[in-house]
Amino acid sequence: MLRVVEWSTGTVGRHAIAGILARPELELVGVYVSNPAKDGVDVGELAELGGEIGLKATTDKQALIDLKPDCIVHTAMTDDRLFHAVEDLISFLEAGINVVSSGPVVLLFHGDALGPDIPARIEAAGERTGASLHVTGIDPGWANAELPLSLTGLSQRIDLVHCWEIADYSTYYQPVVMQDIFGFGKPLDEPALMWQPGVLSTAWGAVVRQIAAGLDLTLDEPLVEAFEKAPAEFDVDSYSGPVPAGTLGAVRFSVTGTVDGTPRVILEHVTRTHVDQRPDWPQPIDGSGGCYRVEVKGEPQLSIEFRHEGEHGDHNVSGMITTAMRVVNAVEAVVAAKPGLVTSLDLPFVTGRGLVTGRGLVTGRGLVTGQP
């Protein structure tokens, strides 16, 4: 059994805790929290499991490292503390602890956008201690990197791989991301972080580069960034804050990898703060709030649309669950992987093995023991 520490209990972390408890080969031995108010609180309460599990969360980082777990499942927020998060991840590797993390997304594939020093430090730490680091999730991650590459396995000729996330973020609770990074609910000319030159390529460029690597392509540099902003046509009261009419209500952006000037890999997002904003932009085929779509142009022409939703119908809840579980389900493979930074191209096929008839399922309504 692999001993695991969970790093955070937020929107993704609480689902990761449930997932760790559900997997038969994992043992949850510690949980980190950054909020002093959560220090000493039973993890079952923090993760909304419907009861105590006999394990208390802690703000003591060193105490958790001293447990010498086989792996840290890191689901803490990284978008607004990129370099601090990277330092945390490297410190885990230097302590000989494997890490699977939901961010920062720039490390999904090599992390060269951070400059040469950080990838070199990650590799050096891994070589010294034998520990591995893998960054994954639903997006960036499986839906727009691994799913497209799997689809290309049916191709005779590939002209273009085009991936989309099309989503209504009205029920997505992450004010820092929605307001400060995207700029939703603010004037269209607000200089939000996302729209600064190079930021799109720093984040989602890792997805484009991983697809290119899986297809043995050498991309032109730099990647091509594009975005279009649209004002909200009516007032929206989103979970992350109000979006008054006239403020930023929807965005469409893309990162494109070209070869000799010809587009070969496109990653595109259509993000709305209400399902009715910009109906002329791409929509899910079934009219739902969100989906992932992949088109492979070539011979034959291939397309697939993948959607998810929580058992109560919310795709933003299931977005947190799928991100958490892609991280958790990869733990065993990452522990066995080569040292240093590993991508999904380096790992075996990751599945939900053991989750159908395990020692018990953990849901948001409580701990359910025995057979499902």
Side-chain angles (χ1 to χ4, degrees), residues 131-157:
S132 306
L133 166 64
H134 178 55
V135 174
T136 187
I138 185 67
D139 171 29
W142 182 86
N144 53 21
E146 295 166 52
L147 177 61
L149 285 174
S150 181
L151 196 60
T152 65
L154 304 174
S155 296
Q156 185 182 78
R157 187 190 79 246

Side-chain angles (χ1 to χ4, degrees), residues 13-24 26 28 43-53 311 321 325 354-356 358-372:
R14 66 186 185 88
H15 295 300
I17 289 167
I20 293 166
L21 293 172
R23 287 213 63 108
L26 304 182
L28 183 65
V43 172
E45 178 181 339
L46 294 176
E48 300 177 3
L49 300 181
E52 296 188 350
I53 65 170
E311 61 183 354
I321 296 173
M325 292 313 301
L355 296 179
V356 177
R359 64 186 180 209
L361 298 179
V362 180
T363 73
R365 296 191 302 275
L367 180 63
V368 182
T369 60
Q371 303 297 320

Side-chain angles (χ1 to χ4, degrees), residues 69-92:
D70 296 290
C71 190
I72 288 176
V73 171
H74 181 272
T75 56
M77 177 74 164
T78 63
D79 294 337
D80 61 342
R81 51 183 301 275
L82 173 61
F83 290 101
H84 287 94
V86 169
E87 292 301 321
D88 282 343
L89 299 180
I90 293 176
S91 72
F92 302 150

Side-chain angles (χ1 to χ4, degrees), residues 42-65:
D42 190 277
V43 172
E45 178 181 339
L46 294 176
E48 300 177 3
L49 300 181
E52 296 188 350
I53 65 170
L55 179 66
K56 297 185 183 302
T58 181
T59 57
D60 190 339
K61 293 184 178 183
Q62 191 58 50
L64 294 172
I65 291 173

